[in-house]
């Protein structure tokens, strides 16, 4: 990592840390309310393998919806193009847990990153894998190089106890014919998937295959074809930030994905991935300081895809 990049990241952190943040924790998952809201960390991994982080970048947090990109990657790897008959590729323009458009589009979610879409992806994985819960975990262990990665029972149980909207979404899609398995089994897997925890360093490394044409950085193992990689990156750009995806492209200018745990991962194809974490969320459910910090980095480095 060049000293120039290090100082851009360091400065962005120093600019962002003191900002007044009126955002709120995602308390609708009770376990997420126990997090220190003032945490802030950032880590960049370049595709030459060098990496650099500042602040709370080595502290684990709940990656939540960021995991939806990884479940989609596994589903695309197994199913290829057939997957797009079950889930669309359009921004939803509605909240991440909205039921609204499902009736209009006959149970086909607008994209794989809103909750309804990610629930359908879980259903697809259950239909095609012997043990989707274990095989997905193995897949992420391999991508992240964290051999002992496990689901967080505390977070999954906390969400299972209160996830009424997700239960409603899954049952509604089932009634429209686009969930093939038992809704209870699909939801269990969905909640487990969202319960994974990583720190910014691990998250930026895990996503580096998407900045590297579909190949893992450390051993060159091919995870996705370059065309599949292009598709996932395009979906992150257009649908990765709930109904604030336009704003993120406008301000930061990179494909990425956020989660209600306050994490964001963003990447520049063939150059780098970055992960940030700051738990207070803005009104659209994205990390307030996370977005500010990334905007500062791409502005000062003049490195956005645009
Ligand atoms: N597990 C969360 C939910 O279903 C994920 C939401 C998110 O991070 O956007 O509500």
């Amino acid at each position: 990592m060049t000293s120039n990049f290090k100082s851009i990241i360091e400065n962005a952190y120093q600019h962002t840390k003191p900002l007044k943040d009126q955002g709120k924790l995602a308390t609708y998952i009770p376990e997420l309310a126990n997090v220190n809201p003032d945490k802030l960390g950032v880590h960049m991994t370049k595709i030459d393998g060098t990496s650099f982080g500042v602040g709370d970048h080595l502290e684990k947090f709940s990656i939540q919806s960021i995991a939806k990109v990884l479940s989609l990657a596994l589903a695309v790897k197994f199913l290829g193009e057939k997957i797009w008959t079950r889930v669309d590729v359009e921004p939803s323009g509605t909240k991440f847990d909205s039921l609204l458009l499902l009736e209009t589009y006959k149970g086909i979610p607008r994209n794989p990153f809103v909750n309804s879409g990610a629930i359908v992806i879980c259903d697809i994985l259950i239909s095609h894998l012997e043990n989707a819960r274990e095989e997905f975990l193995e897949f992420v262990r391999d991508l992240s190089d964290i051999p002992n990665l496990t689901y967080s029972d505390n977070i999954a149980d906390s969400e299972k106890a209160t996830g009424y909207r997700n239960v409603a979404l899954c049952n509604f899609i089932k009634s429209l014919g686009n969930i093939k398995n038992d809704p209870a089994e699909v939801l269990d897997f969905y909640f487990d998937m969202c319960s994974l925890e990583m720190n910014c360093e691990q998250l930026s490394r895990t996503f580096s295959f998407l900045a590297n044409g579909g190949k893992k950085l450390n051993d060159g193992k091919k995870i996705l074809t370059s065309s599949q990689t292009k598709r996932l990156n395009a979906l992150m750009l257009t649908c990765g930030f709930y109904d604030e995806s336009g704003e993120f492209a406008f301000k930061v200018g990179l494909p990425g994905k956020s989660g209600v745990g306050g994490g964001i991962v963003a990447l520049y194809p063939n150059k780098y991935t970055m992960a940030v974490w700051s738990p207070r969320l803005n009104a659209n459910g994205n990390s307030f300081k996370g977005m500010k910090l990334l905007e500062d980095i791409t502005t000062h480095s003049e490195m956005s895809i645009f």
Side-chain angles (χ1 to χ4, degrees), residues 250-261:
F250 186 70
K251 296 258 173 78
V252 179
L254 295 173
K257 181 75 197 85
S258 61
V260 293

Side-chain angles (χ1 to χ4, degrees), residues 86 119-120 123 170 173-174 177-183 186:
R86 301 276 306 274
I119 289 170
V120 168
D123 182 59
C170 191
I173 307 170
K174 177 87 183 173
N178 197 21
I179 291 285
K180 311 296 176 192
N181 298 285
D182 173 8
V186 176

